[in-house]
Amino acid sequence: MALPSSPPLLPEEYDLPSATTLLPLASGSSVAIRPLHRKRQHSDYGSLSSDPLFSDTTEEDDEGIDLQPPRRKKLTRGPWWNVGRRSKHDLRRSMARKEKMRNADSGVWMGSDASEDSIDSVMSSQQRMQELVVEDEGPADDTEASDEEAPALDAETYAARMVQDCLDRGKEVVNLGDLALTRIPDATLRPLHQLIRPSFSDLTSPPSEDEFGPLTPSITLILSTNQLTTLPTELFNLSNITVLSLRNNHLTELPPAIARLERLQELNIASNNIRDLPWELLSYFERNIRINVRPNPFYQPTDLFAEPSPVQAGASTDDDGRPDDAASAVDDVESLRERSTNHKGLPLREVLETRLRLGRLLVEQQCQTTAEVMKRSLSDDSLIYLASSAIRFFNVDGTQSRQTGAARVQPKDWSATVTPLANAPDLSGSNKAPSLFELALRSIQSTNDISEFLPGHGSHGHDYGLSSSIMAALSRAAVNTATHGNDTCSTCRKRYIVARAEWLEYWSHGSHAKPLAPDSTLPFLRKACSWACAVPTEVGTFR
Amino acid sequence: MNDLTEYVTLISSDDFSYVVLRSTACISPIIRRMLDPSNGFMEASTNTVHFDNINGIVLEKVCEYFYYNEKNKDAKDVADPDFPTELCLELLMAADYLDV
């Protein structure tokens, strides 16, 4: 009894249905013997028939490939139970074989996934993965890179790997900060389009109500503390970015396309070399997006640091006293408006302060008429137009227009002035319709490959005998097509290639208690599609 | 000094002439200056301008543009006119020359 019951069981089983134990043996022996006969008998018959290619009878597995399939007639011979058993067995085996065939790679792209795009993306991602696999150390190679290898290349590869990693894990915070990146290729950011928010991780319990949500991610992209001078085009196509940090880079300008990031809630561009902001960014300030713009070497309307502010004391007492009394506030608005437009001999700074006070009074008036909820947001973050620089006008081909009297083109001067249209050319005949130059350029841009006209690319670039201004316009059109598309006119919102005018507008953005100061004045660069659109904002405008 | 006529004639390098409204043609500062009697050019007295560097097909498109501009002065959301692809570059050069 030391041995368990299992050994005795076996012989019993063998013994009891004696027929079944014998029969497999018999069938086994028949397998060994029969084929020889059969082969002889039906060899020529089998060679005539064409069906062995996909035969479903399967005794040949253990016999060899050149064996003829056994005839069905023969199979039906023998005991009936054997027949049933065998056929079931055969069926299973043939099924397995079919499955094996199906699983093998046919090497043919199916129509559904054969689009060129997907092939490309597969190829490129494979390539990238290979590149990434080549050096295997992970974050450790950061130190190595600074020692021996070219750091730029490594940082880029590392960044690509980080992005891939975030993609794999569904991480919404993409931190590419402090990598000493000098540029980011479009291909690095492109995978972020595919990022989806990970759904609830353990599927053990049924999801609760609040777990049903969109899988659209809210990407936080951190590019701070790098050495970026330009931003990749792809960045502005990632519409799911909600937080974007470009702090501490070497950017000199922000492209207008930044306003395309519609879900953006926080933007940090501090510590760059940005001198002015794109006009489109004004909408971000309006939408109460948290924007960190300082420190940056912004243009100043006038030297705000040096001069003392003479009217400041008076202004603050005015602001404290007046707003309660609506009637006197209106009087004040009128007088301020007059003083800010009739600026004979007043120093620019004083004009600006007057305009600021006017703006604030208007904002407060607005606050009194609107609901309580609006009040806070309005008074805290209102933007008040201060002044604009002199407008620079351009000819149809983008060269700066000369005044009839002026001997040479005036140098770039962005300081604020009370007469922005002072050196404007004759605007009598101008209207908002696009110029013929612009129209022809647009139609070249939409139909032709511009690069063939440019000397760098086409062999016959010089044969056209194009002037330098036309070349400049053509290359601008080419660059627009390659990157963010054409710019939008700040006045009429039409798209244009060649800007006809540009100027800076200074807006005050800060809390109401503060006087006019450098750190509450923001310069916005406005561009216009036609001379008729080159109209600076009216005094007293606020947003 | 003769009065300013309502229409002026523009003649291309291959002798096609186009008669257009003076006001529309004068959106080009070049043509305006040529046709200004105070400047004393021959064009001003004959009210005819010869273009030696613009051929008939292109000048036709230019004249079409003059009227397009006149018509859409204050209009918004106007579709851009269609220019034949092969003419675009010549049009671009003509536009640069005429400053329109």
Side-chain angles (χ1 to χ4, degrees):
Chain A
M1 290 307 281
L3 285 170
S5 54
S6 51
L9 266 177
L10 271 174
E12 270 179 29
E13 268 211 317
Y14 269 83
D15 281 344
L16 271 171
S18 61
T20 49
T21 51
L22 280 175
L23 277 166
L25 276 174
S27 76
S29 67
S30 76
V31 165
I33 297 158
R34 253 185 238 156
L36 292 173
H37 298 293
R38 258 181 225 159
K39 203 174 178 182
R40 291 277 154 74
Q41 283 170 350
H42 297 284
S43 59
D44 31 0
Y45 186 73
S47 69
L48 281 177
S49 78
S50 60
D51 58 25
L53 195 55
F54 292 112
S55 76
D56 48 351
T57 55
T58 53
E59 266 190 338
E60 71 272 27
D61 265 14
D62 31 14
E63 289 163 8
I65 0 151
D66 54 338
L67 185 65
Q68 300 308 319
R71 308 306 307 162
R72 201 169 293 155
K73 206 163 128 197
K74 292 278 151 62
L75 276 176
T76 55
R77 252 186 227 167
W80 58 271
W81 57 82
N82 209 353
V83 172
R85 240 231 220 117
R86 249 232 225 103
S87 67
K88 204 191 275 173
H89 185 63
D90 288 350
L91 189 70
R92 207 175 298 136
R93 242 205 274 175
S94 70
M95 287 276 279
R97 204 147 43 102
K98 265 185 201 158
E99 228 150 275
K100 222 189 282 169
M101 276 166 62
R102 208 173 293 146
N103 282 342
D105 187 1
S106 63
V108 177
W109 278 89
M110 298 308 285
S112 56
D113 48 9
S115 78
E116 217 161 270
D117 203 28
S118 72
I119 294 179
D120 274 351
S121 71
V122 167
M123 299 296 272
S124 70
S125 71
Q126 274 177 354
Q127 255 177 10
R128 200 171 313 121
M129 287 312 287
Q130 278 170 2
E131 281 168 19
L132 302 186
V133 165
V134 167
E135 342 117 54
D136 227 358
E137 283 86 7
D141 64 4
D142 225 7
T143 51
E144 230 174 78
S146 56
D147 290 338
E148 37 193 11
E149 290 166 57
L153 181 77
D154 252 17
E156 275 172 34
T157 335
Y158 185 59
R161 194 187 315 182
M162 301 261 280
V163 170
Q164 200 64 46
D165 185 52
C166 289
L167 198 63
D168 291 344
R169 298 194 202 164
K171 260 170 68 182
E172 289 172 288
V173 180
V174 183
N175 190 345
L176 302 179
D178 214 352
L179 289 178
L181 289 166
T182 50
R183 61 181 277 274
I184 298 178
D186 282 343
T188 306
L189 292 182
R190 201 162 290 136
L192 288 179
H193 282 293
Q194 275 107 44
L195 184 67
I196 51 165
R197 172 176 289 175
S199 53
F200 51 95
S201 48
D202 55 333
L203 292 157
T204 48
S205 56
S208 65
E209 279 286 315
D210 49 307
E211 271 169 317
F212 287 108
L215 296 183
T216 318
S218 301
I219 300 175
T220 300
L221 184 58
I222 297 170
L223 297 170
S224 59
T225 322
N226 283 305
Q227 289 153 21
L228 300 175
T229 49
T230 53
L231 295 173
T233 314
E234 199 61 37
L235 178 64
F236 306 105
N237 298 334
L238 292 167
S239 48
N240 285 328
I241 291 181
T242 50
V243 179
L244 176 63
S245 172
L246 301 168
R247 186 176 54 82
N248 215 347
N249 276 296
H250 299 325
L251 300 173
T252 51
E253 58 164 12
L254 215 54
I258 191 96
R260 265 194 247 159
L261 304 174
E262 284 183 348
R263 292 187 54 208
L264 201 67
Q265 281 157 6
E266 198 174 336
L267 175 69
N268 192 339
I269 54 167
S271 298
N272 279 294
N273 289 324
I274 299 172
R275 306 223 58 187
D276 49 54
L277 301 168
W279 176 252
E280 285 77 2
L281 208 62
L282 201 66
S283 66
Y284 278 178
F285 282 98
E286 278 175 67
R287 277 159 50 194
N288 282 328
I289 289 165
R290 267 185 293 162
I291 307 186
N292 235 329
V293 290
R294 292 176 198 283
N296 265 312
F298 286 130
Y299 288 111
Q300 292 298 325
T302 173
D303 200 354
L304 289 179
F305 290 101
E307 294 170 52
S309 64
V311 267
Q312 193 216 320
S316 61
T317 53
D318 270 5
D319 274 289
D320 288 342
R322 294 291 159 83
D324 304 323
D325 189 0
S328 66
V330 173
D331 284 348
D332 212 24
V333 166
E334 293 306 319
S335 69
L336 279 174
R337 197 186 285 279
E338 195 173 321
R339 265 163 66 196
S340 56
T341 44
N342 275 341
H343 34 67
K344 284 185 213 106
L346 277 176
L348 183 62
R349 184 179 175 112
E350 212 163 300
V351 175
L352 294 185
E353 299 215 357
T354 321
R355 285 183 182 179
L356 184 60
R357 280 167 58 205
L358 169 68
R360 284 180 182 168
L361 274 180
L362 288 171
V363 170
E364 273 162 23
Q365 277 190 346
Q366 170 107 1
C367 281
Q368 283 168 356
T369 54
T370 49
E372 194 73 22
V373 195
M374 293 288 293
K375 206 178 265 186
R376 278 220 67 76
S377 66
L378 259 176
S379 57
D380 275 356
D381 300 316
S382 58
L383 279 158
I384 297 166
Y385 168 73
L386 290 178
S388 67
S389 73
I391 298 177
R392 301 168 72 222
F393 288 91
F394 301 102
N395 292 323
V396 284
D397 55 359
T399 54
Q400 194 172 354
S401 92
R402 253 181 255 185
Q403 254 182 308
T404 38
R408 56 184 185 85
V409 172
Q410 279 133 356
K412 215 173 185 173
D413 178 21
W414 288 133
S415 62
T417 170
V418 284
T419 52
L421 288 163
N423 49 5
D426 180 19
L427 297 175
S428 57
S430 61
N431 56 42
K432 291 191 178 186
S435 70
L436 179 60
F437 189 86
E438 172 82 26
L439 290 172
L441 202 56
R442 265 187 232 167
S443 108
I444 288 180
Q445 191 188 36
S446 61
T447 55
N448 290 28
D449 182 18
I450 305 174
S451 56
E452 81 180 67
F453 299 121
L454 299 174
H457 306 271
S459 54
H460 38 251
H462 286 294
D463 296 352
Y464 293 104
L466 300 174
S467 72
S468 62
S469 56
I470 294 185
M471 290 305 250
L474 280 173
S475 61
R476 171 149 191 85
V479 167
N480 279 356
T481 331
T483 57
H484 314 297
N486 294 342
D487 290 340
T488 313
C489 174
S490 64
T491 306
C492 67
R493 299 187 176 279
K494 264 188 267 184
R495 299 256 165 189
Y496 67 87
I497 297 171
V498 181
R500 299 297 302 281
E502 62 176 13
W503 69 98
L504 273 188
E505 281 192 2
Y506 296 96
W507 290 68
S508 165
H509 179 252
S511 82
H512 267 207
K514 273 202 219 158
L516 184 65
D519 61 345
S520 63
T521 317
L522 295 170
F524 292 96
L525 181 64
R526 274 187 81 167
K527 294 188 177 185
C529 68
S530 68
W531 286 359
C533 283
V535 185
T537 312
E538 254 181 71
V539 173
T541 309
F542 61 90
R543 296 192 185 198
Chain B
M1 195 180 280
N2 54 350
D3 293 333
L4 293 180
T5 53
E6 197 184 353
Y7 288 88
V8 294
T9 311
L10 309 179
I11 299 176
S12 69
S13 61
D14 43 1
D15 286 333
F16 284 94
S17 59
Y18 300 92
V19 181
V20 296
L21 272 172
R22 177 184 291 270
S23 59
T24 62
C26 281
I27 60 163
S28 161
I30 303 281
I31 298 180
R32 186 166 62 230
R33 257 173 264 148
M34 282 176 175
L35 291 173
D36 189 353
S38 63
N39 287 336
F41 288 120
M42 192 185 77
E43 281 88 354
S45 54
T46 57
N47 289 320
T48 307
V49 183
H50 286 269
F51 293 106
D52 291 335
N53 47 2
I54 301 176
N55 66 31
I57 308 168
V58 177
L59 192 59
E60 185 186 349
K61 288 289 162 193
V62 171
C63 293
E64 275 177 28
Y65 170 76
F66 285 159
Y67 279 90
Y68 166 86
N69 188 292
E70 179 76 18
K71 194 177 148 198
N72 299 313
K73 243 178 205 168
D74 308 309
K76 277 181 184 172
D77 302 325
V78 184
D80 292 353
D82 276 334
F83 295 125
T85 314
E86 64 277 9
L87 287 183
C88 283
L89 200 62
E90 287 178 84
L91 264 176
L92 196 65
M93 290 195 273
D96 191 30
Y97 170 73
L98 292 172
D99 204 11
V100 288

